[in-house]
Amino acid sequence: MFEKILFPTDFSDVSKKGLRFVKQLREAGSAEIVLLHVIDQSNLDVLSTINTAPDYLTIEKEFMSRASEELVVMEKELKELGYNVTVRIEKGLPLREILRVAQEEKPSVIVIGSHGKSNIQEMLLGSVSEKVVRKALFPVLVVKR
Ligand code: ATP
Ligand code: MN
């Protein structure tokens, strides 16, 4: 039922909780997982307007290498559990990229954190998770904070 999982992660604490959940799904018959991190284009745009910041390409490379460091660790842990793992790093708007990758990968389920890096107390869901629930054409499993 949960054969192929799409797991978008922003490396937040809530998302780490999601990872623990995804690991448990292995016992429920999940076999394949696509790990996805989206480098938020708007963060890049904002940072590159700061005069003292390094140039756009340098910032982008730094984001890329930090993301792949995190993903390599997650990939290794999941492989040790017997998962077949695909790692994807995309650049753009998180919501749009998550929906686009879902269309490409056709997962049985998308596992997403209820919140992410902002984790605002009063919000029922983060803006990305809310819109993924609203718009995805695949079942979405929300891991609560
Ligand atoms: P907001 O971003 O609206 O201020 P938030 O950061 O608390 O709020 P979201 O960004 O909606 O919440 O994050 C919810 C979940 O969406 C995360 O746990 C993660 O699964 C996914 N997500 C968010 N941003 C990204 C990203 N850049 N790449 C991949 N997955 C993401
Ligand atoms: Mn966020």
Side-chain angles (χ1 to χ4, degrees):
M1 192 180 181
F2 295 140
E3 171 88 12
K4 180 173 178 177
I5 300 167
L6 171 60
F7 182 63
T9 177
D10 63 353
F11 311 124
S12 60
D13 290 344
V14 185
S15 193
K16 295 262 153 72
K17 195 174 168 195
L19 181 68
R20 291 205 293 278
F21 185 79
V22 152
K23 285 177 178 172
Q24 290 174 330
L25 280 179
R26 180 77 184 110
E27 282 166 40
S30 298
E32 198 180 341
I33 176 156
V34 179
L35 282 178
L36 168 66
H37 177 70
V38 182
I39 293 178
D40 194 333
Q41 181 77 55
S42 39
N43 288 344
L44 283 177
D45 293 344
V46 169
L47 275 175
S48 60
T49 60
I50 301 170
N51 279 338
T52 51
D55 64 273
Y56 195 89
L57 277 178
T58 312
I59 300 171
E60 187 180 333
K61 259 198 231 156
E62 178 63 26
F63 277 31
M64 277 281 180
S65 71
R66 258 190 259 168
S68 52
E69 272 171 32
E70 298 260 15
L71 289 167
V72 158
V73 177
M74 292 165 90
E75 180 186 22
K76 182 169 172 280
E77 292 174 4
L78 291 164
K79 277 190 170 162
E80 278 166 8
L81 293 173
Y83 269 114
N84 176 344
V85 188
T86 306
V87 173
R88 296 186 60 158
I89 302 179
E90 307 291 341
K91 194 179 74 177
L93 294 176
L95 172 72
R96 196 192 293 163
E97 292 307 305
I98 292 167
L99 294 176
R100 187 177 65 77
V101 169
Q103 283 305 112
E104 273 179 38
E105 298 283 352
K106 310 220 177 311
S108 342
V109 64
I110 302 170
V111 176
I112 200 164
S114 60
H115 302 79
K117 282 256 158 91
S118 310
N119 199 5
I120 296 164
Q121 194 55 42
E122 297 75 28
M123 298 291 282
L124 178 63
L125 289 171
S127 62
V128 176
S129 42
E130 185 193 323
K131 294 198 197 90
V132 168
V133 168
R134 227 187 262 282
K135 299 195 166 170
L137 301 176
F138 301 91
V140 180
L141 199 157
V142 178
V143 176
K144 290 173 70 175
R145 63 184 164 190

